[in-house]
Amino acid sequence: MPRGRLPSQAAGRGPHVSPSEGAHGVEGDNESGSRTYEQLGRGTRLLRRPRQYRLQADLFVMTWLLGFVDPTEPSFVAAVFTIVFSPLFWNVVARWEQRTRKLSRAFGSPYLACYFLGSIILLLNVLRSHCFTQAMMSQPKMEGLENHTTYFLGLALLGGGIVFVLSSFFALGFTGTFLGDYFGILKEARVTTFPFNVLDNPMYWGSTANYLGWALMHASPTGLLLTVLVALVYVVALLYEEPFTAEIYQQKASRLHKRS
C-alpha cells in the first residue's frame, strides 16, 4: 500500500561480507574513536554507536540470508524488481500530478484521476505479492524454521498486518490511502483513530508484517530476505513522502491564513 502515515501529519503531523567477517571483522578499529571495548568477565563486548550497530546487524542478517538464496534465479529477480518499482512508480507519478495536474485534467476530475492511480497501485501490489510468493516457492526452505512455533508466529504477524492495513484503509478512505493529497484532495483534520493512535505509518508496517508472516509460515529464507528489502524500500519512500506531504499541507495552511 502506498500510504503508511497520517495524511495530514504536517498540520499536526559493496563488497560481499562473510558471516564470520560480519561478526568479527570490525575489531581493531578503536583508533577511529567511534568504537570502544569493554571487558566483561571472560568476554569482550564491542560498543558501537546505535546507528552503526544497526547497520552492522542488518548487513550481517542479509549476508547470512544470502547463503540460502540464489539471487540470480528469475523469480527472485522479478520479486526484487516489483518491490522496488511499486513505491518508485507511485511517488514519481504522484509528484508529477501535484506539479502539473495533467491526470486530473485528463480525467476531468481529481477524484477520478486518484481512483485511476489507486487502481494501478492495487494491481502492482497484487503483482508484487505474486512475485514474492513465486520467489519463495522456487528456492529452498530453512530447516530450522520448519516448526509449529514459527508457523503460528508467522500466522499471528500476518493477521496483525492485515488488521493494520485494513483499518488504515477504512480510517483514511480510498483517496486518503492512495495519494489523494497529491491530487489536491486534502483531509480537513488529522486522523487520530485506530491504528494511527498506536503506530506511525501503520499501512506500511502492516504490509511489512504481512510479508514477514508469510515468509515465516513458509520457512523461507528467500521470503525473509525480500521482507528486509520491503522494509528498506518503505523507509526510503517515507523519507521522500513525508516532507513532500508536509509541504502540501503547509501550503494549504498558508492559503487559509491569507483568506482569514
Side-chain angles (χ1 to χ4, degrees), residues 7 20 54 57 64 92-93 110-111 133 159 162 172 178 183 215 233 257:
S20 61
R54 288 195 299 268
W64 175 67
V92 169
V93 173
Y111 286 89
T133 302
I162 290 173
L172 296 173
F178 293 104
F183 291 81
V233 168
H257 180 72

Side-chain angles (χ1 to χ4, degrees), residues 89-252:
F89 169 80
W90 73 58
N91 273 288
V92 169
V93 173
R95 291 196 181 204
W96 171 74
E97 164 64 16
Q98 198 274 336
R99 289 194 305 269
T100 67
R101 296 289 186 243
K102 287 190 175 181
L103 277 178
S104 295
R105 287 199 292 268
F107 283 90
S109 163
Y111 286 89
L112 289 177
C114 183
Y115 296 149
F116 172 74
L117 179 60
S119 299
I120 294 177
I121 293 171
L122 282 172
L123 291 175
L124 286 174
N125 285 337
V126 170
L127 178 62
R128 177 179 63 178
S129 297
H130 172 73
C131 292
F132 185 99
T133 302
Q134 290 301 114
M136 287 198 304
M137 298 305 181
S138 66
Q139 306 235 20
K141 294 185 177 183
M142 184 183 293
E143 204 172 306
L145 296 178
E146 292 188 279
N147 55 72
H148 292 300
T149 301
T150 302
Y151 180 85
F152 286 111
L153 173 61
L155 187 63
L157 285 168
L158 182 64
I162 290 173
V163 168
F164 277 121
V165 169
L166 291 181
S167 59
S168 298
F169 178 81
F170 289 126
L172 296 173
F174 191 95
T175 57
T177 299
F178 293 104
L179 305 160
D181 39 13
Y182 290 74
F183 291 81
I185 308 169
L186 305 181
K187 292 288 184 182
E188 293 298 327
R190 178 176 179 173
V191 178
T192 57
T193 56
F194 181 85
F196 293 96
N197 57 351
V198 298
L199 180 69
D200 289 333
N201 311 306
M203 187 164 284
Y204 279 164
W205 303 129
S207 177
T208 304
N210 288 341
Y211 285 115
L212 177 59
W214 195 235
L216 289 174
M217 290 173 67
H218 288 82
S220 173
T222 300
L224 295 177
L225 183 62
L226 291 173
T227 300
V228 173
L229 179 61
V230 169
L232 290 175
V233 168
Y234 279 157
V235 168
V236 173
L238 287 170
L239 291 176
Y240 282 92
E241 287 178 13
E242 291 188 328
F244 196 74
T245 305
E247 182 181 347
I248 292 174
Y249 280 91
Q250 285 172 356
Q251 291 172 358
K252 176 189 177 183

Side-chain angles (χ1 to χ4, degrees), residues 27-97:
E27 296 186 9
D29 195 24
N30 266 356
E31 294 179 1
S32 65
S34 62
R35 304 179 179 93
T36 58
Y37 288 94
E38 180 183 41
Q39 296 294 334
L40 291 178
R42 293 181 299 174
T44 300
R45 183 173 67 180
L46 180 62
L47 300 178
R48 305 177 184 88
R49 293 175 182 173
R51 185 174 299 178
Q52 292 172 327
Y53 179 82
R54 288 195 299 268
L55 177 60
Q56 186 71 24
D58 290 343
L59 288 174
F60 175 78
V61 170
M62 293 189 72
T63 301
W64 175 67
L65 289 173
L66 278 171
F68 297 89
V69 177
D70 177 9
T72 64
E73 204 276 326
S75 62
F76 181 84
V77 174
V80 170
F81 177 79
T82 55
I83 288 170
V84 173
F85 177 77
S86 294
L88 177 65
F89 169 80
W90 73 58
N91 273 288
V92 169
V93 173
R95 291 196 181 204
W96 171 74
E97 164 64 16

